[in-house]
Amino acid sequence: MKLYYAMGTCSLAAHISLREAGLPFTLVRYDMKTELLETGESLTTVNEKGFVPVLELPDGQRLTEVSAVLQYIADQKPESGLAPPNGTLERYRLQEWLNFIATEIHKAYWPLFHKGAEIENQHALERLTRRYHWVEEKLGAREFLLGDRFTVADAYLLTTFNWARLGGLDLAAFPVMTAYRNRLRERPSVLAAMETEGLVKKKPAA
Ligand SMILES: N[C@@H](CCC(=O)N[C@@H](CS)C(=O)NCC(=O)O)C(=O)O
């Protein structure tokens, strides 16, 4: 499989999930500044909508939209537990989280990273603050969003929380989320994905 990604963006959730699943994949980088793929082509040559992530399947078909891509990856390796089995209530719980993260958290950052007007930014910060407080309550003492297993919803939530400081949120207000993020960043899949994308420095080999 081939993942088209942009450093540190929502495609990181797919990148982490591919590593968690242990699936073979290659990466094609998209540069948000030059608006070009590393091949020199436009992103719209692989996704008419002009977004990453794009997951190219072994037969050449391309899948887009974070929630669909994440569930596809999880379903390639059901034994990974990255998503509960299709048709179960737990699977709908996962989809409930993925949809909430996509529409109420991920997209709420938009004005903060796209030169939003002062009032828009203020509203975005208020909305994100409310939503992360709610997530903190739900997360409570649980290790992962759905309980005791890491799922693709954790990969997505972590990815969006990685943007919090840059977006202007005060992390001290979110101790549960911050501890959760720190825990997840120690997972080999997360560390490797973040190192590969250049988000953290590679640790020198011991
Ligand atoms: N609805 C899409 C949204 C994906 C999206 O917002 N991708 C952003 C990065 S997080 C992007 O590709 N932006 C491209 C650009 O701004 O040039 C999905 O769920 O996959």
Side-chain angles (χ1 to χ4, degrees):
M1 276 185 276
K2 194 188 279 183
L3 177 68
Y4 294 84
Y5 79 102
M7 177 187 180
T9 67
C10 55
S11 51
L12 178 66
H15 187 176
I16 291 169
S17 301
L18 282 165
R19 289 179 184 274
E20 282 282 340
L23 293 166
F25 66 96
T26 55
L27 292 168
V28 180
R29 191 170 176 120
Y30 169 67
D31 186 330
M32 305 264 282
K33 289 207 184 91
T34 62
E35 298 187 359
L36 290 173
L37 293 167
E38 64 181 60
T39 56
E41 289 171 306
S42 159
L43 179 57
T44 54
T45 59
V46 292
N47 180 5
E48 286 173 351
K49 293 176 281 188
F51 290 123
V52 288
V54 180
L55 187 66
E56 196 169 293
L57 312 184
D59 67 1
Q61 289 194 69
R62 296 190 186 111
L63 197 58
T64 63
E65 300 298 313
V66 178
S67 299
V69 167
L70 293 182
Q71 291 184 74
Y72 177 87
I73 293 170
D75 287 341
Q76 300 315 295
K77 272 284 176 76
E79 65 275 23
S80 67
L82 283 168
N86 265 306
T88 60
L89 181 61
E90 288 73 27
R91 181 59 169 253
Y92 295 109
R93 289 285 174 220
L94 175 88
Q95 290 167 347
E96 196 175 25
W97 272 114
L98 291 176
N99 201 58
F100 177 77
I101 298 165
T103 59
E104 308 300 338
I105 297 185
H106 175 176
K107 286 296 157 178
Y109 276 98
W110 181 262
L112 300 172
F113 294 135
H114 292 85
K115 302 194 179 86
E118 191 50 43
I119 187 76
E120 284 179 303
N121 289 348
Q122 195 187 315
H123 286 156
L125 283 174
E126 283 165 9
R127 269 198 299 275
L128 282 164
T129 299
R130 251 194 338 270
R131 287 164 193 170
Y132 279 130
H133 276 313
W134 182 80
V135 175
E136 286 221 319
E137 246 177 63
K138 298 290 146 198
L139 199 52
R142 276 193 270 175
E143 193 170 356
F144 303 111
L145 269 185
L146 268 78
D148 56 7
R149 267 200 108 138
F150 180 93
T151 67
V152 291
D154 294 297
Y156 198 7
L157 182 62
L158 166 71
T159 295
T160 65
F161 198 67
N162 276 347
W163 310 330
R165 196 199 300 267
L166 197 62
L169 286 157
D170 176 10
L171 294 197
F174 308 104
V176 176
M177 279 301 300
T178 303
Y180 165 83
R181 181 204 64 179
N182 293 346
R183 263 194 327 271
L184 293 190
R185 280 188 181 179
E186 283 175 13
R187 293 178 78 80
S189 65
V190 174
L191 198 57
M194 291 186 69
E195 283 180 353
T196 303
E197 295 198 12
L199 297 165
V200 290
K201 280 212 183 85
K202 275 201 169 85
K203 283 202 181 114

